Amino acid sequence: MKIIRKICMLGDPAVGKTSLVRRFVYSTFDDKYISTIGTKIVKKDVNVQGNNLTLLIWDILGQNATPLHSVYYKGASGALVVADVTVEQSITNIPRWIDGFRKIAGNAPVVIVGNKIDLKRVDEDYLAKLCGCSHPIVLTSAKTGEGVERAFTEISKLIIGGG
Ligand code: G3D
Ligand code: MG
């Protein structure tokens, strides 16, 4: 049986959403990536706990994509909410992203991703305290690849576990 699920990449501009998707789907990190406008949907097959799952990963492209349309969130089974660990405001903005998402997507699972740990070493507690959230946290670097697989596996597990 094939399970297909939509997930959304959320978070402030420039935190590394597109870079994480590229690292996860194509295993590359390109510093010269040029962003375009709109939404990009990429497909990736994963196997979690014996289940074959196809993720449809929705990524907003462009730097100022903060006012999101409900169509972006609609029908999503989960979200990765990304922050840049070197930018405090991107961490304190996390609850706002989650609220907006859940207004449309209901109680879908959320994983918080603290990206760019190649630039600054932080721990999960630091993020949890700053954003005041109790969602699972995964620390990543889209540049080195550290933690990237784990972030997508974590949301996949929660999606599968939630039916
Ligand atoms: P966005 O999709 O959230 O807007 P992008 O973010 O993926 O476009 O990344 C924004 C900038 O951060 C890019 O740099 C990208 O290369 C960089 N970046 C993303 N992830 C990491 C990371 O883990 N470590 C480091 N050091 N940089 C990262 P430019 O210079 O192209 O704007
Ligand atoms: Mg982007």
Side-chain angles (χ1 to χ4, degrees):
M1 196 182 69
K2 200 162 179 185
I3 310 165
I4 303 171
R5 292 288 182 270
K6 168 180 174 177
I7 64 168
C8 295
M9 303 299 294
L10 310 180
D12 286 5
V15 293
K17 299 178 295 295
T18 301
S19 302
L20 287 165
V21 175
R22 299 179 84 237
R23 165 63 76 179
F24 179 60
V25 176
Y26 311 107
S27 289
T28 59
F29 179 89
D30 184 355
D31 282 309
K32 293 194 177 70
Y33 182 66
I34 300 160
S35 40
T36 50
I37 311 293
T39 301
K40 191 178 179 184
I41 305 166
V42 291
K43 213 174 91 171
K44 169 95 173 175
D45 295 325
V46 292
N47 187 286
V48 269
Q49 298 165 334
N51 299 284
N52 288 317
L53 174 67
T54 298
L55 292 177
L56 299 177
I57 307 166
W58 286 51
D59 179 27
I60 285 202
L61 302 179
Q63 289 306 305
N64 296 307
T66 358
L68 293 177
H69 299 294
S70 61
V71 68
Y72 183 74
Y73 295 143
K74 212 168 176 179
S77 296
L80 292 183
V81 183
V82 185
D84 177 339
V85 296
T86 70
V87 180
E88 253 189 51
Q89 210 197 325
S90 75
I91 303 171
T92 55
N93 277 342
I94 288 173
R96 238 168 288 168
W97 285 105
I98 296 175
D99 287 350
F101 174 70
R102 287 202 151 163
K103 261 180 205 137
I104 307 293
N107 229 14
V110 164
V111 170
I112 293 165
V113 179
N115 188 43
K116 306 197 190 183
I117 55 167
D118 58 289
L119 298 177
K120 187 185 175 189
R121 281 281 151 185
V122 299
D123 59 17
E124 286 87 351
D125 280 357
Y126 170 78
L127 254 76
K129 279 197 193 113
L130 256 181
C131 79
C133 294
S134 58
H135 299 279
I137 297 172
V138 179
L139 300 171
T140 63
S141 166
K143 187 165 191 171
T144 67
E146 187 178 349
V148 176
E149 189 96 26
R150 195 146 38 85
F152 286 93
T153 303
E154 193 66 31
I155 191 67
S156 301
K157 275 194 214 158
L158 292 172
I159 289 170
I160 292 287

